[in-house]
Amino acid sequence: MGNAHLHSIHVHPVKAVRGVAPRETAVEPWGLAGDRRWVLIDDGGKVVTQRRLPRLALVAAELRPDGGVRLSAPGMPPLTVPVPRPSATVPVEIFRDEVEAVEAEGEAAHAWFGSCLGITVRLAHMDDPATRRPVSPEYARPGETVSFADGFPLLLTTTASLDALNSLIAQGEYADEGPLPMNRFRPNVVVAGTPAWAEDDWSRLAIGDVPFRVAKTCGRCVVTTTDQDTGERGREPLHSLGRHRRLDGKLVFGQNLVPLTRGTIRVGDPVRILE
C-alpha cells in the first residue's frame, strides 16, 4: 500500500458538535490536540450527545489557540468560551466511566447551549487528560488515557471503505439515503490509498513519523444515521452495516487507535502499515 496517505484530519473540540479540519495537528497521548476536551452534561452529570439530541449536529465549535472554543449555531450569536481557571471539579458520567471535569466559568456558555438546545445543560472541560480518564482496561496498556472521546484517543476511517459501504447502501432498500459523507462517522483521521476494509487487518501503523497501535474495531451507533447538516435521522448506514459488517454483535466501521508517541501529523503524510 505504497500510496496510502492521510487524506484529512478532524478535531471536535466539543464532544457531539461539529468540529474543524486542520491541515496539521499535534498528537498527544490522549488524542489529537484539543479533540473532545469539552463536553455537555445534564442535571444528573450524564454526557449529552447526538444519541439523545441529534440537533447537536447543527452546533459548531472552533478551537481557540488557548484551548477555548468559539461556538456558533443557526439563529444564535457566536460565543467564545475560554478554558476555565483551575477550580472545583464536577463528576461527569460518560458511558461506564465517572470523570472529573471543570465547568465553564459564569453562566454564558450554559445559557447559550440551553437556549440553542431547549434543555438545561452545562459545558465542562477536561482539565488534565493525562490523569482523568483511563482507556478501557480490556484494551489498554498501563497509563493510557483518553479525553471525552467515546473510548479511545483516535478514530481512523478510510475512503475506500466508505466507498464500499456506499456501494452496499446503493444496492439496498434504503438506496435513496446514500451516498453518505464521511462526517456521519466523526473520525479523527481519514486514510486514502488503501483497499476497502484493509484496516480490519492492521495492528500497528504510522502516520508520518507518529506510530499508533490499533486497539479495536469501532462499533457504530445511531449517531451515524444522523445527517450532520440537518440533524435528521434515517436508516443508513446501520441497516447495511447490520447486513454486511457485523462483528461480535457490533456493527463495525473504522478502527480505534492509541498513539505510541507524541508528534505532529499533516494532511498528505504517508501511512505505513507496520503490523
Side-chain angles (χ1 to χ4, degrees), residues 41-265:
I41 56 176
D42 63 16
D43 288 340
K46 289 187 176 180
V47 167
V48 177
T49 73
Q50 288 187 36
R51 292 171 177 83
R52 177 173 165 187
L53 286 180
R55 178 176 168 77
L56 279 168
L58 305 182
V59 180
E62 177 188 343
L63 190 65
R64 308 299 292 170
D66 65 350
V69 288
R70 185 177 188 272
L71 305 171
S72 59
M76 296 292 297
L79 179 69
T80 297
V81 185
V83 172
R85 291 166 293 187
S87 63
T89 60
V90 296
V92 172
E93 182 181 335
I94 177 167
F95 302 114
R96 291 170 291 179
D97 300 333
E98 185 170 289
V99 183
E100 295 297 316
V102 180
E103 289 190 347
E105 295 177 7
E107 293 299 317
H110 315 309
W112 190 93
F113 272 108
S115 177
C116 179
L117 302 174
I119 68 167
T120 300
V121 291
R122 309 286 290 180
L123 180 65
H125 180 260
M126 184 180 285
D127 57 336
D128 185 8
T131 64
R132 291 296 186 198
R133 186 184 177 210
V135 173
S136 173
E138 186 178 357
Y139 301 101
R141 294 176 179 172
E144 291 180 342
T145 61
V146 61
S147 65
F148 286 121
D150 277 3
F152 298 89
L154 280 86
L155 173 63
L156 174 149
T157 59
T158 70
T159 58
S161 294
L162 179 61
D163 290 343
L165 176 58
N166 277 325
S167 293
L168 296 172
I169 291 172
Q171 298 164 28
E173 58 188 291
Y174 302 105
D176 60 323
E177 292 189 18
L180 302 182
M182 190 65 86
N183 65 9
R184 289 291 188 96
F185 302 94
R186 299 180 63 80
N188 292 115
V189 289
V190 180
V191 174
T194 69
W197 316 122
E199 64 273 21
D200 290 354
D201 299 321
W202 301 346
S203 58
R204 278 201 316 130
L205 67 143
I207 301 175
D209 296 327
V210 184
F212 301 83
R213 71 177 184 87
V214 178
K216 68 181 291 290
T217 304
C218 185
R220 310 313 306 218
C221 71
V222 69
V223 171
T224 59
T225 68
T226 308
D227 186 318
Q228 297 295 299
D229 293 326
T230 67
E232 297 176 357
R233 286 198 169 137
R235 297 293 298 273
E236 293 291 6
L238 293 186
H239 178 76
S240 292
L241 290 175
R243 295 187 63 189
H244 302 283
R245 295 283 298 168
R246 190 182 292 272
L247 178 65
D248 296 331
K250 302 286 187 181
L251 311 184
V252 299
F253 185 88
Q255 294 284 358
N256 291 297
L257 305 183
V258 179
L260 297 177
T261 66
R262 292 176 178 263
T264 299
I265 57 174

